[in-house]
Amino acid sequence: MTDSLQTTPTTELLTDDPTWWRQAAVYQIYPRSFADSNGDGIGDLPGITAKVPYLTALGVDAVWLSPFYPSALADGGYDVDDYRDVDPKIGTLAQFDEMITALHGAGIKVIVDLVPNHSSDRHVWFQEALAAPAGSPARARYIFRDGLGEDGELPPSDWTSIFGGPAWTRVADGQWYLHSFASEQPDWDWDNEEVRDDFLTTLRFWSDRGVDGFRVDVAHGLAKSLPEALPSKAELDALPKADGDHPVWDRDEVHEIYATWREVFDSYDPPRTAVAEAWVEPSRRARYASAEGLGQAFNFDLLEADFDATAFHDIITYNLKAADESGSSTTWVFSNHDVVRHPTRYGLPPLAGREIKQGAEWLLAGGDASEVDAERGLRRARAASLFMLGLPGSAYVYQGEELGLPEVGDIPESQRQDPAFFRNPGVDVGRDGCRVPLPWERTGESFGFGPGPAHLPQPTWFRDFSVEAEEGDPTSTLSLYRAALAARRELQTDETLTWEAVADTGAVAGAEPQVLHFSRPGGWHVVCNFGPTPVAMPTGEVLVASGPLGDAGEGPGNGADAVLPGETAVWLRA
Ligand code: BGC
């Protein structure tokens, strides 16, 4: 089988190249957990600036910053008080400018997170809405409704929020407002012209400050069309989600909003970019990713898949084709601030269902580390990541992933912060375990995260995953990511992938081989053995390997009888 996929234009990673994003390696920074410069326990912008040499040595093309705006942190910053300022706990606008100058000086682009589905309940317009009467223009910026029952004492519908609990909260005069997430996150009404105009102002504000792109939070949620008589939760859940006519999610009109954003993006040189976080049917990603819209859309398919050759093959084939048809490039991601880190997911005992769910179940059951096969999880995570970094498209790396950092499963209830935990007791443990501040050093109160404590507890084993511990070790995960990201630069000039036959990598001992092999132009070959048993290695010079290679006899694993061990990936040049 040698079908070639994607032959889209050549990409040169020049600083002002408008297509820089197509194959960028993007490093996600969760600012409050990255690096703390002042010892208050919360990561900050000067902390990021101080780590620019680290990011340069890692070899990423861009960073995406999760929200750093003023916020009460009811949802880790995704509850925004003011879209055009910096949270004083995290820094100042002047420090933002310093950070962007330092990143740009190092050739690293900057993507910021935009949260347009909802503001925080402390936003000045929500405060105005609370102070204004029902039916007033101030209320019309949000989604207010009268309640049901004799005195309106019942919510307008029995809908639940994504984090659990009711999706409506009552205000002092008896009306209710809609919040798809926590009650501190009232949903905007995107039919409102002032709301639309204000977001255009925000896009220009950050673009004028030199931001290169935007990650658009809950991009499929903005346009809503709520009938006078609201359907029940059961009726709402039963409605089709892929016909563009669901009252809440993925409505076709949302693309009218993004067309106006596109005009703003394209008024800059180079145009600003955007990537949609849109949890929609795969077939409906194309409109978010179109050149008239946001330009690119996340595909979370690998993040949700088992570590399995067939699953990976089908996901990659589908997404490369779909992205090519929309004129975009796809994105690959295994970990982010919302999911259980992939070395842990891949180390959990197999249960029915998908790995991501296994992670959630394990957390719920107390996150007992002794249940995780940590060695296997890390081995698979390294293989999956090396394989993914060889793919065409944008590669997203979540902070700490480059250290092979596992999930922290056993955060005490008293120290948890995630609203998903508080709003859904016994059902969701939340996402704090992937947001624990990074270990930079082996020692110190917060393992070098800052001069003081860390805002979430770090386990003692964090020291073994610290940058200090991994930096000098050629076998560490950090060294693997650095080597792969350096080599990847050569791959970023073309977007073609050709699946290669795997017949010549027959199983060395037993079992059907679980191998995927693709080539990229320039004689590059990327091979991953997803199965547990070694297979024969295709010939070529080994450039990077996710783990130790073997030889049928003794030796460096590169001779005629070289083998690729189980759960290992390799880059070769033929
Ligand atoms: C973000 C989450 C956040 C939610 C509400 C998501 O998709 O990634 O972290 O809680 O949007 O803003």
Side-chain angles (χ1 to χ4, degrees), residues 278-283 285 297-308 311-320 322-323 330-336 345-346 354-356 388 391:
W279 291 89
V280 297
E281 301 273 324
S283 64
R285 283 184 204 132
F298 272 116
N299 105 61
F300 295 113
D301 300 348
L302 284 185
L303 176 156
E304 294 191 297
D306 286 333
F307 184 76
D308 174 83
F312 272 55
H313 175 272
D314 294 351
I315 287 168
I316 291 164
T317 304
Y318 176 86
N319 282 290
L320 290 182
T330 193
T331 63
W332 305 111
V333 43
F334 287 116
S335 282
N336 63 31
R345 288 202 313 265
Y346 287 151
R354 298 182 298 192
E355 304 246 352
I356 185 77
M388 177 275 262
L391 291 168

Side-chain angles (χ1 to χ4, degrees), residues 34 38-39 66 79 102 182 188 200 340 345 389 408 457 462 472 502 521 552-553 574:
F34 184 65
N38 59 9
S66 279
D79 46 319
W188 290 110
L200 297 179
V340 172
R345 288 202 313 265
L389 290 171
V408 181
F462 252 40
V502 292

Side-chain angles (χ1 to χ4, degrees), residues 75 78 118 163 181 215 217-218 277 337-338 431 435:
D75 179 21
Y78 285 87
H118 42 266
F163 294 150
F181 295 86
R215 178 259 188 193
D217 191 61
V218 197
E277 187 221 20
H337 66 297
D338 288 332
R431 303 158 292 180
R435 300 174 177 182

Side-chain angles (χ1 to χ4, degrees), residues 45 51 68 79 86 166 202 219 235 296 315 321 327 345 361 373 491 519 538 549 556 572:
L45 301 186
K51 298 298 183 192
F68 48 81
D79 46 319
V86 171
T202 296
E235 288 163 345
Q296 200 180 34
I315 287 168
K321 193 159 168 290
R345 288 202 313 265
E361 282 170 34
D373 184 340
L491 287 175
S519 59
L549 300 177
L572 303 162

Side-chain angles (χ1 to χ4, degrees), residues 128-146 171 173-176 192:
E128 268 184 33
L130 291 183
S136 62
R139 288 232 169 149
R141 298 180 187 126
Y142 293 91
I143 303 175
F144 278 86
R145 280 283 173 104
D146 292 329
V171 301
D173 65 12
Q175 273 211 312
W176 298 76
N192 187 285

